[in-house]
Amino acid sequence: MTNFGFPALYLARPNPKASPRLRHSPAHPLMAPSLKPPTDARIAVSRTPYLCSCCSGAFGSLFATNCEAAGIAAQQGPPLSRRALLTGAVAAAVALPGLAHSQGAITTVFTGGTILTVDRNFSQAEAMAIRGNQILAVGSDAVVRAAAGAGARVVDLRGRVMLPGFVEPHAHVVAGAVVDSLMDYVGMVRFASTAQVLEHLKAKARITAPGEWILARNFDPALQAGPEAIGFVELDAVSKEHPVFVLNASGHLAYANRRAFQVAGIAEDVANPPGAEFVRDGSGRLTGAMKNNLAFGQVLFKNPAVKNADPVTALIDLLGRWGKLGLTTASELALGSLSQSPADLKVILAAAQSGQLKARIRAYPFYTLGLAAWDEAGVKPDDGNALARVVGYKLVADGSNQGFTGLQREPYLNSDSRGIAYMSVEELKAQAVDRARKGWHLAIHGNGDAAIDNVLTALQAVSDAGVDMTKLRARIEHCSMLHDEQIAKMKALNVSASFLIGHVYYWGVAMRDKVFGSQRVQRLVRARSVEKAGIGYSLHSDFMVTDPNPLHMIQMAVTRRTWQDPQFVLAPGERVSVESAIRAVTAEAAWQLRSEHEIGSLEAGKLADFVILDKDPRRVDPERIKDIAVLETWMDGKQVFGA
């Protein structure tokens, strides 16, 4: 089975025209005066502060030398125009005929199973008919057959279960697709120990031509049993004929064998780049470990595949593979991070125009490029069409809690650090008001409770500026550490939440023991409290941070068990029902992406995006939801995956 993981890249290459970022001035009471690692040497590696890769815009910096990305950004003339965007949308519709018209198309009736519509009442239907790319009718078998007509094709579901196509509301598919195309995932989902990782790499070396690179990602010694680091000793044992490069899950560390250093021309006396390090042992000799992409990039960029990867092909291939997960809509929450320009939108439009895209994309321009860059490019909300569309604008308040850069009201456990504010409150307010007044939906990253304070302060300023908050549909991304009064304020401001539920499953034990302590961790991902307050929420993977597996995310939200200690249920009062979790990866996610009029539920007139499962998630042991098989995935009235 394919595993999808993340190389959480460490540092972004800041745009000089964008607003200042990564503030930790002691003058601000909620900004850390320092980022001192803990004194406990046993956990020093896992406590090293690092920035949030997905929301620092760092994905693109890793591929700064990629020829295709550079070519996209360097094309002559305005990077984008309203005419170009509309032309691209029309071309996409022509390339995928179902997008344009359903009139005269084949009518198909699905019956004989359980159809969960996920409409407002979570209705269950006997049958559904589609005509072309649209849902024609949903309801009883007799009513649907009558609507479909005598000539309709009939598909017997044979007792299986149909749901709306799953919607991933927060991912990073543009730069993430390039990474995914190059690096083999060796993270915690796939391998429990370093020994297993190394055995896998040895097996790969045996079937790889000598001299070719072996690239891997997501190695996490903080979660995978074994030594705290690897280097020449371990990776030379993998191969002395292949350059071997392994990216740490934190993204601020990487490891290579001696052959990779030789190919890259890294000599024993290499100087450390500013802010980066080629790690040495006690005798001063290189170990093969590297800190920061300014160091490990000198090795990685010698691989020709990194320079020549095609982002359009990579995006098409990635979303094609996601069909096996039941995903029919994905998202890009840092548009601009690959090419470091608004030209990233060209990658999405080119993929849509190819006629090969098997999932829809909803995109959010990223704040690090600066407001002017997007305005000058003519990018506006709702540019595109039902297949690929710009829907909102992304701002970022802080970093990562597990990276100790999420902005907190109180210091981290056994530390005097409160994290980092990526944007000041005034910057958040100014950019949020500017975008909201121009019709942009806002998605604002906030992990720590102090960061969420800042997000809510900025959104209050938006409300005070006269913006209709019900139309704005502002949402807090990750929304990790929540207090009761913050939930009340979210409700008052019509702000929804999008939860990275993997924070509970993958990092729950670490959050308890190393990040927050047993009491504060109870405020992590408060899905049930938000729901009880009448606030909508979605679940996301933050690909490439965790796997974009909706069925597994449903299970995580329902059980709240943790990967490292399955007996530990983190904040059991925050568990949600299966139906609630299903909504969070279908109808609620579609609403947050401003697409509920076309996807997210099975209702007449909407687009024919759906998934067929072998079991009903409501009727199985909650601990086995992730094991339910995806049998078929349909997008735009066409089957894009079959088991």
Side-chain angles (χ1 to χ4, degrees):
M1 183 180 77
T2 301
N3 288 282
F4 305 99
F6 75 104
L9 312 177
Y10 183 40
L11 292 175
R13 182 165 299 179
N15 184 325
K17 295 183 179 180
S19 57
R21 300 161 44 228
L22 310 182
R23 301 175 180 274
H24 45 92
S25 166
H28 195 293
L30 296 180
M31 298 178 188
S34 65
L35 282 173
K36 298 177 182 177
T39 56
D40 187 346
R42 293 171 300 173
I43 59 173
V45 171
S46 63
R47 287 296 298 262
T48 303
Y50 60 87
L51 307 182
C52 178
S53 61
C54 70
C55 293
S56 66
F59 285 145
S61 68
L62 181 61
F63 292 95
T65 63
N66 177 267
C67 299
E68 292 289 337
I72 291 168
Q75 290 176 11
Q76 295 299 312
L80 296 165
S81 69
R82 193 73 173 170
R83 175 181 292 274
L85 287 166
L86 293 175
T87 301
V90 171
V94 172
L96 197 63
L99 281 172
H101 301 288
S102 61
Q103 186 175 3
I106 295 173
T107 301
T108 304
V109 173
F110 296 85
T111 188
T114 300
I115 298 176
L116 303 180
T117 66
V118 198
D119 63 5
R120 184 178 297 274
N121 299 316
F122 212 96
S123 304
Q124 183 170 320
E126 294 178 346
M128 182 178 80
I130 66 171
R131 179 169 293 160
N133 72 326
Q134 290 187 325
I135 298 173
L136 176 66
V138 183
S140 68
D141 184 80
V143 168
V144 169
R145 285 179 185 265
R153 183 171 72 102
V154 177
V155 174
D156 185 357
L157 291 173
R158 297 185 308 227
R160 298 174 297 179
V161 180
M162 179 187 289
L163 283 166
F166 294 130
V167 178
E168 168 57 79
H170 184 130
H172 300 272
V173 295
V174 177
V178 179
V179 177
D180 184 76
S181 71
L182 295 172
M183 296 188 178
D184 188 14
Y185 174 81
V186 296
M188 56 192 172
V189 175
R190 193 175 183 188
F191 301 115
S193 68
T194 299
Q196 292 175 345
V197 171
L198 295 173
E199 283 303 315
H200 169 74
L201 295 178
K202 289 177 184 178
K204 190 167 184 178
R206 288 193 290 269
I207 61 173
T208 301
E212 291 190 9
W213 285 72
I214 295 174
L215 303 179
R217 66 179 187 273
N218 283 73
F219 173 63
D220 193 345
L223 296 176
Q224 293 169 289
E228 292 184 343
I230 56 175
F232 289 156
V233 173
E234 294 81 6
L235 296 179
D236 283 353
V238 167
S239 177
K240 294 182 179 179
E241 296 181 323
H242 306 83
V244 180
F245 178 94
V246 179
L247 190 63
N248 182 283
S250 71
H252 72 293
L253 296 170
Y255 320 92
N257 64 354
R258 287 186 175 86
R259 180 60 179 156
F261 270 49
Q262 291 168 0
V263 169
I266 305 298
E268 188 66 42
D269 62 352
V270 62
N272 288 331
E277 179 183 357
F278 291 95
V279 178
R280 300 175 184 273
D281 61 21
S283 63
R285 300 189 63 81
L286 295 173
T287 67
M290 298 158 281
K291 296 182 178 180
N292 194 337
N293 62 337
L294 294 177
F296 66 68
Q298 295 184 36
V299 176
L300 181 61
F301 296 154
K302 294 300 181 180
N303 181 353
V306 173
K307 290 188 175 183
N308 299 322
D310 177 1
V312 175
T313 299
L315 179 58
I316 291 168
D317 291 347
L318 176 72
L319 297 188
R321 292 193 300 276
W322 283 10
K324 70 175 62 177
L325 301 171
L327 282 163
T328 56
T329 299
S331 54
E332 173 51 66
L333 269 288
L335 191 69
S337 66
L338 177 68
S339 65
Q340 299 294 294
S341 81
D344 272 18
L345 186 52
K346 293 181 179 180
V347 175
I348 293 176
L349 291 178
Q353 291 167 19
S354 73
Q356 301 176 59
L357 203 57
K358 294 182 178 179
R360 306 181 194 282
I361 303 174
R362 300 294 179 262
Y364 289 70
F366 199 44
Y367 81 109
T368 55
L369 299 185
L371 303 179
W374 294 105
D375 290 345
E376 290 168 5
V379 178
K380 292 181 172 23
D382 298 323
D383 281 341
N385 64 6
L387 184 59
R389 182 185 301 132
V390 174
V391 294
Y393 197 84
K394 174 76 172 296
L395 299 172
V396 178
D398 68 341
S400 160
N401 291 333
Q402 65 267 33
F404 302 92
T405 51
L407 189 64
Q408 312 298 338
R409 292 179 179 181
E410 302 173 31
Y412 285 100
L413 189 66
N414 301 321
S415 172
D416 61 358
S417 171
R418 296 185 184 184
I420 292 177
Y422 277 31
M423 302 175 73
S424 71
V425 177
E426 293 307 313
E427 288 171 332
L428 274 174
K429 288 165 61 175
Q431 294 202 29
V433 169
D434 178 275
R435 295 295 89 175
R437 281 176 167 167
K438 294 178 180 177
W440 287 93
H441 156 59
L442 294 176
I444 309 181
H445 165 119
N447 265 316
D449 51 7
I452 293 172
D453 285 336
N454 291 352
V455 172
L456 292 172
T457 297
L459 292 175
Q460 183 64 60
V462 172
S463 178
D464 293 344
V467 174
D468 185 342
M469 298 299 287
T470 62
K471 293 181 179 179
L472 182 67
R473 298 193 187 187
R475 67 189 232 224
I476 301 178
E477 302 304 302
H478 315 322
C479 203
S480 299
M481 298 295 288
L482 272 176
H483 297 265
D484 288 346
E485 75 275 9
Q486 292 175 320
I487 293 174
K489 192 163 188 179
M490 289 173 66
K491 175 66 174 175
L493 288 170
N494 290 287
V495 177
S496 65
S498 187
F499 293 119
L500 174 50
I501 191 62
H503 278 152
V504 172
Y505 179 74
Y506 293 111
W507 288 279
V509 171
M511 295 284 196
R512 178 193 66 190
D513 298 343
K514 298 179 181 181
V515 180
F516 293 119
S518 60
Q519 295 303 311
R520 287 171 66 190
V521 79
Q522 302 302 311
R523 293 195 287 271
L524 183 68
V525 184
R526 297 183 64 190
R528 178 59 181 147
S529 293
V530 163
E531 182 182 40
K532 287 193 294 186
I535 298 170
Y537 75 92
S538 66
L539 301 173
H540 66 256
S541 69
D542 200 10
F543 174 81
M544 303 172 72
V545 174
T546 68
D547 295 2
N549 187 334
L551 287 168
H552 196 189
M553 289 191 284
I554 291 170
Q555 178 176 316
M556 292 177 198
V558 170
T559 68
R560 293 185 67 96
R561 291 194 184 276
T562 56
W563 175 72
Q564 286 185 300
D565 180 2
Q567 299 308 309
F568 174 49
V569 177
L570 199 166
E574 296 297 339
R575 290 177 292 195
V576 298
S577 70
V578 175
E579 287 190 1
S580 176
I582 289 173
R583 283 192 183 281
V585 294
T586 55
E588 288 289 353
W591 184 88
Q592 289 185 341
L593 295 176
R594 297 167 59 95
S595 299
E596 79 283 0
H597 60 289
E598 55 198 355
I599 60 172
S601 62
L602 302 178
E603 300 180 78
K606 291 194 175 185
L607 295 170
D609 294 4
F610 55 93
V611 61
I612 299 174
L613 309 177
D614 72 335
K615 294 182 177 65
D616 187 337
R618 305 171 304 167
R619 305 289 182 245
V620 302
D621 180 347
E623 308 289 349
R624 297 288 181 265
I625 294 174
K626 67 178 176 61
D627 300 324
I628 294 172
V630 175
L631 302 177
E632 297 180 19
T633 302
W634 291 62
M635 195 278 288
D636 216 54
K638 295 179 174 62
Q639 186 176 345
V640 295
F641 169 76

